[in-house]
């Protein structure tokens, strides 16, 4: 009988074989992930607040780039071309470069697993990039789910020196060393891997206010280059998670409408309130531009509707109007190491109906958050 360590090692080796097979199936031959999704003229016109006729005329006149031809022979715009069109039409939604209209630094946070925290982080970052914003997504979860979604296998493609670790240990003066471009135009990433677990043990040995403030200082320094920064926090309430809660200025709390998730979220909120009070004593006042509850993995079941009513009655203005629907489409996208925003619409009528329902839900949620972001800028610029 093999030893426990031999058995686990065998599982690791088999798991890495599966990851390599998935990468070979879904990536380019050189192992680099690209955004294969193209955007029809109608989709581009909607995203650019123009008519298809206006795009056709500008393309015919040579004033904007010509569409590409995809694998199915359709003429489409790439996502970088959409941003080139925004430059031409002066439609980029960037914040005004002044101290008041500061970058929104946000996190989707809940200690309860399975609430779609990392999924939402990725979707919101990609949605904003698709709509022309300059976005940085920071993976501070040692599990590296967000990093994996952007085409990197944390334990194979990311070293400890590529993560937040050197900066949090005061070995780097800024976060610039860790920022890398992704295959989404206008969307950058700071990746994570399991080595980030070690930072908790390193920092606990000499805790001070600077320990919790350092991440926020680094984020503010690089925020001049971005409109929105999204930090995917670890599923804990340790030093790193508290550093995230101090660094952000907006928080979305995803909640699955069920007994277990509802109770766990209330416990999390109590713990969060206590820790924010401690942080404020150490580091000064913390203010959030917005703090909202988001219903995630919603499926319209009677039991879920009962809890949704409780959330509506008790949370009032904190509860977002939109909901992230439970969808098999999100799961299928994950198998291919992509998000639903990267998928081409399916051909079959049944799958296309599921896809449209899922995309509509994602756009509703991300669009509502986009409006909160823009409102925060307009309020501070008034």
């Amino acid at each position: 009988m093999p030893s426990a360590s031999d058995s686990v090692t065998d599982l690791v080796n088999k798991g890495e074989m599966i990851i390599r097979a998935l990468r070979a199936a879904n990536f380019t031959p050189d192992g680099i992930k690209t955004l294969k999704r193209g955007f029809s003229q109608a989709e581009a016109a909607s995203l650019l607040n123009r008519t298809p006729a206006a795009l056709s005329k500008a393309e015919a006149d040579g004033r904007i780039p010509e569409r590409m031809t995809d694998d199915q022979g359709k003429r489409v715009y790439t996502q970088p071309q959409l941003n080139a069109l925004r430059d031409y039409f002066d439609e980029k939604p960037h914040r005004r470069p002044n101290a008041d209209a500061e970058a929104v630094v946000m996190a989707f946070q809940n200690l309860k697993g399975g609430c779609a925290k990392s999924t939402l982080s990725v979707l919101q970052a990609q949605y904003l990039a698709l709509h022309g914003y300059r976005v940085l997504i920071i993976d501070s979860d040692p599990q590296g789910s967000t990093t994996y979604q952007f085409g990197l296998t944390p334990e194979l493609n990311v070293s400890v020196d590529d993560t937040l670790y050197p900066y949090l240990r005061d070995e780097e003066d800024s976060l610039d060393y860790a920022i890398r471009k992704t295959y989404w135009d206008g969307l950058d990433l700071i990746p994570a891997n399991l080595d980030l677990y070690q930072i908790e043990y390193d920092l606990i040995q000499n805790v001070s206010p600077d320990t919790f403030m350092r991440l926020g200082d680094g984020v503010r320094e690089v925020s001049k280059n971005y409109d929105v920064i999204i930090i995917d926090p670890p599923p804990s309430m340790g030093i790193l998670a508290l550093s995230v809660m101090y660094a952000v200025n907006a928080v979305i709390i995803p909640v699955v409408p069920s007994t277990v998730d509802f109770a766990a979220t209330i416990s999390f909120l109590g713990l969060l309130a206590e820790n924010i009070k401690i942080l404020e004593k150490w580091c000064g006042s913390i203010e959030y531009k917005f703090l909202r509850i988001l219903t995630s993995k919603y499926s319209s079941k009677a039991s879920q509707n009962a809890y949704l009513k409780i959330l509506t009655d008790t949370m009032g203005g904190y509860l977002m109007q939109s909901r992230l629907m439970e969808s098999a489409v999100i799961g299928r996208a994950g198998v291919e190491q992509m998000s639903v925003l990267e998928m081409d619409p399916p051909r079959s009528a049944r799958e296309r109906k599921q896809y449209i329902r899922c995309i509509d839900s994602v756009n509703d949620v991300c669009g509502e958050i986009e409006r909160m972001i823009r409102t925060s800028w307009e309020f501070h610029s008034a």
Side-chain angles (χ1 to χ4, degrees), residues 196-329:
L196 268 182
Y197 276 120
Q198 182 62 37
I199 200 66
E200 298 285 344
Y201 302 102
D202 291 351
L203 296 181
I204 198 67
Q205 299 176 36
N206 188 24
V207 178
S208 70
D210 288 342
T211 305
F212 299 100
M213 297 170 67
R214 183 163 177 76
L215 178 60
D217 291 341
V219 167
R220 279 186 290 276
E221 196 271 329
V222 299
S223 69
K224 61 182 180 293
N225 299 318
Y226 300 99
D227 303 304
V228 181
I229 297 175
I230 297 173
I231 308 179
D232 186 13
S236 66
M237 202 48 79
I239 292 176
L240 184 52
L242 290 175
S243 297
V244 171
M245 299 314 291
Y246 183 80
V248 300
N249 55 32
V251 178
I252 304 290
I253 301 169
V255 181
V256 179
S258 72
T259 303
V260 172
D261 288 87
F262 186 72
T265 298
I266 298 305
S267 298
F268 161 69
L269 288 172
L271 182 61
L272 179 62
E274 292 176 8
N275 281 295
I276 286 177
K277 289 178 182 177
I278 294 172
L279 281 175
E280 288 187 319
K281 287 182 180 178
W282 278 37
C283 308
S285 177
I286 297 175
E287 295 182 0
Y288 294 145
K289 296 177 184 296
F290 51 86
L291 171 64
R292 297 289 188 274
I293 303 290
L294 168 63
T295 306
S296 66
K297 294 191 172 181
Y298 177 68
S299 61
S300 301
K301 294 178 180 177
S303 58
Q304 286 197 336
N305 285 330
Y307 280 99
L308 186 59
K309 185 178 187 307
I310 293 173
L311 283 170
T312 302
D313 292 343
T314 56
M315 298 301 178
Y318 288 106
L319 185 65
M320 288 178 56
Q321 296 298 308
S322 54
R323 305 157 194 164
L324 183 68
M325 305 296 290
E326 178 75 70
S327 177
V329 179

Side-chain angles (χ1 to χ4, degrees), residues 7 25 32 50 54 71 99 120 129 144 174 176 193 204 214 223 226 261 314:
S7 296
I32 297 174
R50 292 292 187 279
D71 295 339
L120 283 161
S174 79
D176 289 330
N193 68 7
I204 198 67
R214 183 163 177 76
S223 69
Y226 300 99
D261 288 87
T314 56

Side-chain angles (χ1 to χ4, degrees), residues 8 20 70 82 88 92 98 125 151 153 168 222 224 240 274 278 302 317 322 324 327 330 347 358 367:
V8 173
R20 290 190 180 95
D70 67 11
L82 291 181
Y88 174 78
K92 284 201 169 177
N98 59 56
T153 301
L168 294 176
V222 299
K224 61 182 180 293
L240 184 52
E274 292 176 8
I278 294 172
S322 54
L324 183 68
S327 177
I330 292 177
R347 293 185 178 182
C358 179

Side-chain angles (χ1 to χ4, degrees), residues 2 6 9 19 72 79 129 168 194 225 268 288 300 305 338 351 354 359 365-366:
D6 287 341
T9 299
I19 290 173
Q72 300 175 20
Q79 190 250 337
L168 294 176
L194 285 173
N225 299 318
F268 161 69
Y288 294 145
S300 301
N305 285 330
M338 65 173 63
E351 290 184 348
Q354 292 177 338
I359 284 292
V365 168
C366 294

Side-chain angles (χ1 to χ4, degrees), residues 26-249:
N26 299 321
F27 290 21
T28 59
D30 56 4
I32 297 174
K33 188 176 182 184
T34 60
L35 181 58
K36 300 176 182 178
R37 173 84 157 88
F39 301 88
S40 69
Q41 189 179 70
E43 290 174 318
S46 176
L47 287 165
L48 296 166
N49 297 313
R50 292 292 187 279
T51 64
L55 293 185
S56 290
K57 187 176 188 306
E59 187 175 330
D61 293 343
R63 291 179 284 127
I64 64 174
E66 291 186 7
R67 282 166 283 172
M68 311 288 288
T69 302
D70 67 11
D71 295 339
Q72 300 175 20
K74 297 178 182 177
R75 296 185 67 206
V76 296
Y77 292 108
T78 65
Q79 190 250 337
Q81 281 183 316
L82 291 181
N83 277 336
L85 294 177
R86 287 191 177 95
D87 283 332
Y88 174 78
F89 290 116
D90 196 22
E91 284 286 345
K92 284 201 169 177
H94 297 172
R95 65 188 173 91
R96 285 182 288 275
N98 59 56
D100 292 328
E102 63 183 352
V104 169
V105 183
M106 63 180 295
F108 294 87
Q109 176 63 298
N110 195 332
L111 295 185
K112 181 69 176 69
C115 66
K117 173 180 70 69
S118 294
T119 298
L120 283 161
S121 297
V122 171
L123 287 171
Q124 188 67 53
Q126 292 179 348
Y127 174 93
L128 291 170
L130 181 59
H131 286 76
Y133 295 85
R134 301 165 299 171
V135 186
L136 171 65
I137 186 166
I138 301 175
D139 194 354
S140 70
D141 184 348
Q143 296 174 92
S145 298
T146 291
T147 297
Y148 184 77
Q149 280 281 63
F150 281 96
L152 301 172
T153 301
E155 306 318 311
L156 298 177
N157 307 121
V158 180
S159 76
V160 65
D161 292 334
D162 299 322
T163 71
L164 291 173
Y165 189 91
Y167 177 78
L168 294 176
R169 279 180 53 86
D170 203 14
E171 296 169 359
E172 295 282 352
D173 294 331
S174 79
L175 291 171
D176 289 330
Y177 73 94
I179 297 173
R180 60 173 73 189
K181 300 290 183 183
T182 72
Y183 53 93
W184 280 80
D185 190 48
L187 174 51
D188 296 343
L189 166 73
I190 293 181
N193 68 7
L194 285 173
D195 291 317
L196 268 182
Y197 276 120
Q198 182 62 37
I199 200 66
E200 298 285 344
Y201 302 102
D202 291 351
L203 296 181
I204 198 67
Q205 299 176 36
N206 188 24
V207 178
S208 70
D210 288 342
T211 305
F212 299 100
M213 297 170 67
R214 183 163 177 76
L215 178 60
D217 291 341
V219 167
R220 279 186 290 276
E221 196 271 329
V222 299
S223 69
K224 61 182 180 293
N225 299 318
Y226 300 99
D227 303 304
V228 181
I229 297 175
I230 297 173
I231 308 179
D232 186 13
S236 66
M237 202 48 79
I239 292 176
L240 184 52
L242 290 175
S243 297
V244 171
M245 299 314 291
Y246 183 80
V248 300
N249 55 32

